[in-house]
Amino acid sequence: MSIQSVGIIGAGTMGNGIAQVCAVAGLDVLMVDINDAAIERGLSQVSKSLDRLVKKETLTPEAKDAALKRIKVSTSYADLKDLDLVIEAATENQAIKEKILKQVDEIVAKGVIIATNTSSLSITKLAALNSNPERFIGMHFFNPPALMTLVEVIRGLQTSDTTHAAIINMAKHIGKEPITVKNSPGFVVNRILLPMINEAFFVLYEGLASPEDIDAGMKLGCNQPIGPLALADLIGLDTCLAVMEVYFENFSDSKYRPCPLLREMVAAGYLGRKSGRGVYTYDK
């Protein structure tokens, strides 16, 4: 199966980034969100991101214009009906994703592949909600999707070989390097990454060093391009907490307990870059 058209649910950071990547690769894209304001914000972010690529001379102005023309928008799931692939890229929340995916399943044609961009939730469990679970798969992009090469392709117990092969080929077509992962909480990358970030919060919580020195230590001592606390701000502290809670619940292992400071900061609304304040403060 060759994928030529993609519907993306969610015009936020991940959704608009995935839309951009698909459109630049020549695919027809439909970006869906709950209201026009969210869609306009998403389109604005795509345009700004493409402008940066033009400025760096990695994209021509003509290619930018062509990509933007390939992105259509809607506030109705009904418009997803006859596309080749639908990628759900909503908030990392089980109840929200289940609600969206059930609606999509009722609307789209039987041959449409449905993927979720979840970073931690069970693909097998989400697939079980689908009337045709063989067509369901995980397609986990990394932030920012326009720059990060990796895509984790996660097979649920029910995912067919045909679905898996189509998504592997599509990921390569849009310039990504896919890796195939079995269904397990956090999959591969975040299973390793998020406990490290959580431990950095424990180090900060215990007053062992300043945020700047913790991040500098990991950058200079482990050759990481960005420190774990700054990365948490980029990911979103609420997302980090949600993922750790999934691990803690599913593995029943205390090594995955979320740091109290992480919980406290999320409760205060200090969510990172998107809120203007996390471990560090940002201009909104």
Side-chain angles (χ1 to χ4, degrees), residues 204-273:
L204 180 62
Y205 179 57
E206 294 166 14
L208 301 185
S210 69
E212 293 80 5
D213 283 350
I214 292 168
D215 279 349
M218 294 304 290
K219 287 166 67 178
L220 300 175
C222 298
N223 204 29
Q224 294 184 352
I226 183 173
L229 298 174
L231 181 57
D233 277 354
L234 180 62
I235 295 169
L237 270 59
D238 52 340
T239 300
C240 293
L241 176 59
V243 173
M244 289 307 300
E245 287 176 332
V246 167
Y247 295 170
F248 192 45
E249 178 183 349
N250 281 270
F251 292 117
S252 300
D253 190 327
S254 62
K255 74 179 181 181
Y256 296 114
R257 70 199 185 285
C259 176
L261 177 59
L262 178 58
R263 288 190 185 279
E264 191 79 356
M265 293 181 73
V266 171
Y270 300 163
L271 307 182
R273 286 182 179 271

Side-chain angles (χ1 to χ4, degrees), residues 39-54:
I39 288 170
E40 287 303 317
R41 285 194 297 271
L43 282 174
S44 175
Q45 287 303 312
V46 172
S47 183
K48 289 176 183 177
S49 178
L50 292 174
D51 281 338
R52 287 193 290 271
L53 295 179
V54 171

Side-chain angles (χ1 to χ4, degrees), residues 57-76:
E57 298 184 346
T58 58
L59 192 72
T60 66
E62 294 78 15
K64 174 206 166 181
D65 292 340
L68 286 174
K69 287 177 182 177
R70 291 189 193 102
I71 302 175
K72 308 300 182 187
V73 297
S74 176
T75 55
S76 173

Side-chain angles (χ1 to χ4, degrees), residues 10-249:
T13 302
M14 295 306 295
N16 70 60
I18 297 168
Q20 174 185 326
V21 169
C22 291
V24 168
L27 302 182
D28 294 323
V29 177
L30 177 68
M31 189 165 62
V32 179
D33 213 314
I34 56 174
N35 56 51
D36 291 335
I39 288 170
E40 287 303 317
R41 285 194 297 271
L43 282 174
S44 175
Q45 287 303 312
V46 172
S47 183
K48 289 176 183 177
S49 178
L50 292 174
D51 281 338
R52 287 193 290 271
L53 295 179
V54 171
K55 189 175 182 180
K56 292 178 182 177
E57 298 184 346
T58 58
L59 192 72
T60 66
E62 294 78 15
K64 174 206 166 181
D65 292 340
L68 286 174
K69 287 177 182 177
R70 291 189 193 102
I71 302 175
K72 308 300 182 187
V73 297
S74 176
T75 55
S76 173
Y77 289 170
D79 292 331
L80 299 166
K81 184 177 181 181
D82 296 315
L83 302 178
D84 297 327
L85 167 66
V86 174
I87 303 173
E88 171 274 313
T91 303
E92 188 71 358
N93 177 285
Q94 181 90 33
I96 292 173
K97 288 185 181 292
E98 287 184 1
K99 182 180 178 181
I100 290 171
L101 291 168
K102 284 179 181 177
Q103 289 178 285
V104 172
D105 179 51
E106 292 170 359
I107 290 169
V108 301
K110 197 164 183 65
V112 175
I113 295 175
I114 301 176
T116 175
N117 184 52
T118 182
S119 57
S120 63
L121 302 177
S122 170
I123 303 303
T124 297
K125 186 174 181 179
L126 292 173
L129 304 173
N130 200 283
S131 60
N132 181 20
E134 294 84 2
R135 66 161 168 194
F136 194 86
I137 197 164
M139 197 176 188
H140 179 212
F141 290 78
F142 287 76
N143 189 19
L147 300 178
M148 301 296 283
T149 305
L150 178 67
V151 174
E152 286 182 317
V153 177
I154 308 103
R155 299 188 65 151
L157 189 63
Q158 313 94 317
T159 305
S160 71
D161 290 342
T162 302
T163 298
H164 174 254
I167 294 302
I168 290 291
N169 289 335
M170 180 266 189
K172 291 178 179 178
H173 176 75
I174 63 173
K176 300 304 179 186
E177 292 286 345
I179 62 170
T180 298
V181 179
K182 290 182 179 179
N183 184 58
S184 180
F187 317 128
V188 170
V189 175
N190 281 341
R191 173 77 178 273
I192 298 167
L193 176 65
L194 267 297
M196 182 196 72
I197 288 175
N198 192 53
E199 196 63 27
F201 274 93
F202 269 111
V203 170
L204 180 62
Y205 179 57
E206 294 166 14
L208 301 185
S210 69
E212 293 80 5
D213 283 350
I214 292 168
D215 279 349
M218 294 304 290
K219 287 166 67 178
L220 300 175
C222 298
N223 204 29
Q224 294 184 352
I226 183 173
L229 298 174
L231 181 57
D233 277 354
L234 180 62
I235 295 169
L237 270 59
D238 52 340
T239 300
C240 293
L241 176 59
V243 173
M244 289 307 300
E245 287 176 332
V246 167
Y247 295 170
F248 192 45
E249 178 183 349

